Structures are given as structure tokens and as C-alpha cells.
Amino acid sequence: MKDKLMIDSLFTDTLLSGGVVAFPTETVYGLGADAANLEAIKKIYELKGRPADNPLIVHIAELSQWSSFASEITDDALKLARAFWPGPLAIILKKKPEVLDVITAGLDSVAVRMPDHPLALELIKKTMPLAAPSANLSGRPSPTKAAHVEADFGHSVLVLDGGRTKVGLESTVIDLSSGRPVILRPGFIGKEDIEQVLGKSVFYASGSTPGQTPRSPGQKYSHYKPEAQVSWLKTETPGRFEENTLYLMQYASAAGKNVITYGGNLTLMARELYDRFRQADTDGFSKIKVAPLAAFTGQAVYPALINRINKAAGQG
Ligand code: TXA
Ligand code: MG
């Protein structure tokens, strides 16, 4: 991926002239536009049907670009960036006054991350920092391959195809803009990973774990939803397997086209969760049932999976 000619100038020209481009990251595909161009960013909200009070993450390719957005890069923020960037962690700091309100939804803070994908990094280096939400219609599961973006937007959005994304769930969002570090959205980088780097306690915001009221604007909206109805199985295996249902399970007690088994590999489950959600719709399943994941609490991705499945199920 060292070849600097890999990205067709169509993509860079589109961004440079105020257009919108979908691009791959290690988490999910993003729908990017020039973070300094108001009209360009408005197009993102229009295309997605995204509520105006839900702020966007700014994607950068070099640490030096951060200071155009954050008013002060704190010691904790630098420690996390050095440990995890490029990578699936968005860091919220107090914003500079000149950062567009359309990015921050009027908040006094801004979320920034450096994605760990060669195409994303090259695209940003050749153009500018990109404001980018996930490249799905608002409320739909985030896209983990180019075909998902095309399914939601048809040919109205140019897609830079980088294959399947590696992580499959959106980045961890951590708020460092007030006194104590707070995780607003759990992701592949876990609370314990962050605590180890910071040498202090990190908290979950209400709403990022089950049964609480959200604090991050994005967490109050219905999310990650396929057409099929998502719910948790009460027990590890159902009494009876129904034909119209796709089962996502840790252990198979039955084989079949509609039973997907992970054997405790939550990383794999995270990677393909949204693809399974979308595939269920394509294949005509009316329900998706997920077996309990409680036995695997040690893995960093566990709270992120619970959070996304709960939201898809309309709980929390
Ligand atoms: O992995 C990701 O983060 C992907 C890829 C494309 O980078 N992006 C993504 O963006 O998931 P989006 O817009 O779907 O989610 C951004 C989340 C939302 O929940 C939003 O409310 C929150 O970050 N957010 C952004 N800026 C914020 C701020 N200043 N304060 C609180 N929450 C913020
Ligand atoms: Mg999103």
C-alpha cells in the first residue's frame, strides 16, 4: 500500500471541490468532506438524513493537524494518541472557536481520530482533514464494505473501495474535555486499555452501557438497525430453531444456513456483525436472535458488542 498513485484523482478532486467521498477505515466506512467547508459538510447531513444535533468526528492523518481543531491538547490526550493512533479511538477535547458548528453540533468540544487504514491516511494526506460520520443512512447498520455504502446511497456517493473493514464496529469515543475521562461509546479499545495508558480510572457515560440515559448526542438515537427485528435469546440455545430467524450464537446446538457460530471469538463476531445484519435483510429473515455473550466478559470488545446489539434491539 505504499504506492502513492493508488487513489484515483477523482476522489481527491471531489473532496477538493467541496464534494463528499465514502472511504474505508479500520472500523467502518466513513462519509467524508472537507472539515473546513460548511457547504460540503451540510451535504453529509442531507445525504444521511442525520439529525443536526449529532456531531461528527474529524479524521486526521498527522498529529500536527489536531491543533487546528482542539484548543488545547492535554497530556492525557497525547498519551492516548501515542498509544492508540492510528487506531479506533476518537478523542474529544475542547474545540477551537473557529471549528465549524456544523461539525460539533454547537458543542464546545470536538472529536478527532486518526484512522488506521492506508487508504484513509493517504486520502487525508492528499487533501485535508475530513469530517466524517459512518457512511450509512441514519439509523441503519454502519457499512463494513463498499457494497453496504452502495446499498444505502446508490450511485449518489463515490466510494473508495478498501475491501472489508478489520474491526467492524465504530471507534471507542472518549471525552477528555472535562475533569475526568469518560467513554461515551465503547469500542475495540477497551476501558482497561485506556486506564493502563493514563494510569487512572476511566468511566462509562450513562447511556453507553445498558439501561441508562445517554450523554453523547449520538447515543440517544436509534442505531445500527436492520429491517429484521433483533433480540437476545434468553438462554444459550433456543428450544426450537425458527426458519425465518437468523441465529448468532457462541456454540452451535444445531447446524443450518440460519445458524452462525462464533465459539467465543468476539473479535470475529464484531467484525461481521453489521454484515450479518444486512445479509439477514437480503436473505429475507424477519428476525435475528443473538445468544447471550455473558461468558466472555474479559475481552475488550465485549461491552462494544453488547452496546450495539442492545441498540439494534431497541434497548438502551
Ligand atoms: O469508527 C468511527 O468512529 C467511524 C469511522 C468512519 O471513523 N465514525 C463514526 O461516526 O462512527 P459517527 O458520526 O457515526 O459517530 C460519531 C459519534 C456519535 O455518537 C457522536 O454523537 C459522537 O461521536 N460525537 C462526536 N463529536 C462529539 C462531541 N463533541 N461530544 C460528544 N459526542 C460526540
Ligand atoms: Mg454512525
Side-chain angles (χ1 to χ4, degrees):
M1 296 269 183
K2 288 217 175 71
D3 183 356
K4 289 288 166 206
L5 295 174
M6 270 191 54
I7 294 184
D8 193 289
S9 58
L10 182 59
F11 296 99
T12 50
D13 290 350
T14 300
L15 289 170
L16 291 166
S17 60
V20 171
V21 163
F23 63 96
T25 79
E26 80 282 32
T27 57
V28 301
Y29 277 72
L31 192 61
D34 180 355
N37 183 332
L38 174 64
E39 293 307 317
I41 298 167
K42 278 189 186 164
K43 288 180 197 159
I44 295 178
Y45 282 88
E46 274 163 31
L47 277 163
K48 280 186 61 101
R50 183 176 175 105
D53 66 350
N54 193 2
L56 307 181
I57 296 172
V58 175
H59 295 65
I60 59 173
E62 296 174 73
L63 271 188
S64 60
Q65 294 174 322
W66 203 358
S67 46
S68 306
F69 299 93
S71 61
E72 188 203 349
I73 295 167
T74 60
D75 289 345
D76 281 354
L78 259 187
K79 279 187 198 163
L80 293 183
R82 292 214 173 97
F84 300 116
W85 282 0
L89 180 71
I91 302 175
I92 296 178
L93 290 172
K94 287 258 183 308
K95 74 166 189 122
K96 281 206 156 152
E98 54 269 35
V99 178
L100 295 172
D101 275 343
V102 70
I103 293 180
T104 63
L107 298 172
D108 63 356
S109 61
V110 63
V112 175
R113 88 175 190 98
M114 191 188 291
D116 186 16
H117 195 293
L119 289 177
L121 294 171
E122 189 186 333
L123 186 68
I124 295 164
K125 280 184 189 158
K126 283 185 165 166
T127 57
M128 71 286 279
L130 299 176
S134 50
N136 51 278
L137 290 173
S138 242
R140 298 268 300 143
S142 292
T144 55
K145 41 189 198 187
H148 296 161
V149 182
E150 279 150 19
D152 279 11
F153 298 106
H155 293 296
S156 59
V157 170
L158 203 55
V159 188
L160 179 58
D161 192 344
R164 263 174 194 273
T165 61
K166 197 169 59 186
V167 174
L169 300 180
E170 306 80 357
S171 61
T172 306
V173 176
I174 185 155
D175 188 356
L176 298 181
S177 71
S178 55
R180 53 182 206 165
V182 180
I183 293 176
L184 303 186
R185 180 174 69 184
F188 192 75
I189 293 178
K191 179 173 172 291
E192 288 75 20
D193 304 324
I194 297 173
E195 285 177 332
Q196 207 159 38
V197 170
L198 294 183
K200 61 167 109 166
S201 298
V202 170
F203 304 86
Y204 281 119
S206 55
S208 62
T209 49
Q212 299 166 319
T213 317
R215 172 171 141 182
S216 170
Q219 295 283 310
K220 76 173 180 248
Y221 293 106
S222 138
H223 266 314
Y224 323 119
K225 272 198 170 147
E227 301 292 322
Q229 191 192 20
V230 179
S231 64
W232 290 101
L233 281 171
K234 301 260 180 311
T235 52
E236 240 164 60
T237 54
R240 190 170 68 85
F241 284 90
E242 291 162 34
E243 254 176 46
N244 65 350
T245 303
L246 179 69
Y247 294 89
L248 304 181
M249 314 193 57
Q250 294 311 313
Y251 299 106
S253 56
K257 204 164 68 74
N258 62 335
V259 183
I260 314 294
T261 320
Y262 292 102
N265 188 345
L266 296 191
T267 308
L268 176 62
M269 189 175 185
R271 185 179 303 149
E272 61 172 48
L273 184 74
Y274 293 147
D275 193 28
R276 293 288 180 194
F277 278 6
R278 284 176 179 262
Q279 195 62 43
D281 291 345
T282 314
D283 292 349
F285 290 109
S286 58
K287 293 179 195 165
I288 299 168
K289 293 191 178 173
V290 188
L293 306 177
F296 305 101
T297 47
Q299 297 182 37
V301 77
Y302 170 83
L305 266 172
I306 299 277
N307 170 272
R308 303 311 192 276
I309 295 165
N310 274 342
K311 283 189 179 283
Q315 311 164 4

